[in-house]
Amino acid sequence: MDELTLKELWQQAAEKSHLETKYKELQAQRETVAGRIKKLEKASRAEQADVDRLERGSLAAFFYQMIGRREEQLDKEREEACAARVRYDAAARELASIDADLERRRARLAQLEGCEGRYREALAEKVRELKAGHGPAAQELMECETRMEGMRLQKQELKEAIDAGRVALHTAGQVLDSLDSAEGWGTWDVMGGGLGVDLAKYGSLDEAQEQVERLQVELRRFKTELADVEINAELQVTVEGFMRFADFFFDNLFTDWAVLDHIGHAKTQVRDTRKQIERVLARLKRMNADLDAQLEDERERREQIAIDAE
């Protein structure tokens, strides 16, 4: 393996530092999601137990049978059990996504093991060479290059955050489109639309459900990418609030008016989330523009150092 340059070693050390920050953020996210899964699993088992009691015949089943409402109550319990299972499955998929992200970063961190020490050794050697060689101008040039490399790394981190934010923003728009469609069909359903309208309405809700799950994952990844750019708090409320919204969204979707009410609340939540993403993206773009200006200043400074040293 060829010996790495000082620049390459510096890049490795910086990458390792950023990866460790993101890894800690992912571990915290995993702990939160794992705790939520335990609660959702417990709730799902409880809801299914209610269904089982009515199906096999219990005192409650006998009571509902006597008053002629056993099938009605059984349908209700099945709906609640289904909603609870949907929430649990969505959280389980999210946990699997976090575990996959952790494993990728864990593998890269293993590859970078010890890079900080190698960088410090190489830096000390380079400083010795400069002191023995070309004097203060060479040292100043090296410091200038180090600042520029730091800015380039920051720009890369900003790019990754901006890309993640744009993906989440696109999905938020898709969720709104699906909810708009479901709301339209739901309005027809309340007016007596029939089976075809029901199928169209729940088809749109199925799409919205898948997109909501994807948006949760994308928001979490956006938040992870923001761990290095010091505006994490701006998305904290959005991510956690949206996860609570997803639980709400999958609950009690089985009467026409409940569907319309849920869709209305969901659209408000998604619009708020989209606006929050847009605000964070705008700030990231301003930070990127500021870095471009600072990089140009450093380039001019480097040229002037070289000219003055002649």
Side-chain angles (χ1 to χ4, degrees):
M1 181 177 177
D2 295 335
E3 186 175 349
L4 295 176
T5 65
L6 180 63
K7 175 181 175 181
E8 290 169 334
L9 288 169
W10 182 89
Q11 289 173 333
Q12 283 191 352
E15 181 187 358
K16 186 171 185 290
S17 176
H18 291 302
L19 278 172
E20 287 171 341
T21 299
K22 292 178 181 178
Y23 193 82
K24 290 179 182 177
E25 168 65 23
L26 283 168
Q27 285 179 313
Q29 292 178 15
R30 191 190 190 285
E31 185 176 347
T32 298
V33 174
R36 193 165 79 249
I37 283 178
K38 288 182 180 178
K39 294 178 181 178
L40 291 172
E41 184 179 18
K42 182 178 179 181
S44 180
R45 287 199 303 266
E47 294 293 353
Q48 186 59 47
D50 290 341
V51 174
D52 294 342
R53 279 193 295 272
L54 284 176
E55 286 181 335
R56 69 171 177 260
S58 63
L59 290 177
F62 177 74
F63 170 74
Y64 286 116
Q65 185 73 42
M66 290 292 293
I67 63 174
R69 295 183 56 190
R70 181 176 180 277
E71 290 303 317
E72 177 185 344
Q73 185 64 23
L74 186 55
D75 287 342
K76 179 177 180 297
E77 296 294 348
R78 285 170 176 163
E79 290 161 3
E80 291 174 353
C82 179
R85 185 66 193 183
V86 167
R87 289 195 297 271
Y88 171 79
D89 288 345
R93 285 189 288 271
E94 184 179 1
L95 184 63
S97 173
I98 293 174
D99 284 339
D101 285 351
L102 280 168
E103 181 56 35
R104 283 193 294 272
R105 285 169 170 81
R106 189 181 298 117
R108 181 55 180 158
L109 282 169
Q111 293 175 343
L112 295 172
E113 184 67 30
C115 65
E116 303 100 321
R118 292 189 292 273
Y119 168 67
R120 286 193 297 269
E121 291 174 4
L123 178 60
E125 178 62 27
K126 185 66 176 179
V127 169
R128 285 192 292 271
E129 290 176 8
L130 286 171
K131 287 180 178 179
H134 302 93
Q139 178 68 23
E140 194 173 355
L141 278 173
M142 182 178 176
E143 291 172 355
C144 184
E145 289 286 349
T146 299
R147 288 192 296 271
M148 291 176 68
E149 284 303 316
M151 292 174 193
R152 292 189 186 104
L153 184 62
Q154 289 179 56
K155 281 182 64 65
Q156 179 60 32
E157 293 293 335
L158 284 172
K159 179 182 182 302
E160 292 172 0
I162 289 170
D163 289 346
R166 285 173 174 165
V167 170
L169 188 65
H170 176 71
T171 301
Q174 290 182 316
V175 175
L176 281 174
D177 289 342
S178 295
L179 291 174
D180 282 338
S181 175
E183 186 175 47
W185 290 115
T187 301
W188 278 106
D189 200 14
V190 169
M191 298 170 64
L195 179 60
V197 172
D198 264 337
L199 292 174
K201 174 182 65 179
Y202 282 106
S204 295
L205 286 173
D206 281 343
E207 289 181 3
Q209 174 191 328
E210 293 173 3
Q211 292 157 353
V212 163
E213 290 183 26
R214 189 163 72 248
L215 182 55
Q216 281 186 263
V217 171
E218 290 166 359
L219 281 171
R220 178 184 55 74
R221 287 178 176 163
F222 189 23
K223 183 172 179 286
T224 299
E225 293 299 336
L226 291 173
D228 282 324
V229 292
E230 298 180 356
I231 58 174
N232 195 15
E234 292 195 14
L235 201 68
Q236 183 75 30
V237 174
T238 293
V239 174
E240 293 182 356
F242 196 83
M243 289 175 180
R244 288 193 296 270
F245 151 73
D247 284 347
F248 165 82
F249 179 70
F250 297 135
D251 193 19
N252 203 17
L253 278 173
F254 300 99
T255 68
D256 297 336
W257 288 111
V259 168
L260 287 176
D261 184 60
H262 274 60
I263 290 173
H265 282 84
K267 288 175 66 175
T268 298
Q269 180 75 49
V270 178
R271 287 195 191 100
D272 290 345
T273 298
R274 185 170 62 176
K275 288 177 183 177
Q276 188 79 346
I277 296 170
E278 289 170 343
R279 285 195 294 270
V280 174
L281 281 173
R283 183 169 177 184
L284 290 173
K285 291 173 184 177
R286 289 195 298 271
M287 292 171 69
N288 194 51
D290 290 343
L291 276 173
D292 285 337
Q294 293 173 39
L295 266 171
E296 185 59 31
D297 289 344
E298 288 294 337
R299 291 189 190 100
E300 293 176 2
R301 186 176 292 112
R302 181 182 57 184
E303 292 175 2
Q304 192 60 51
I305 292 169
I307 292 171
D308 292 343
E310 289 185 345

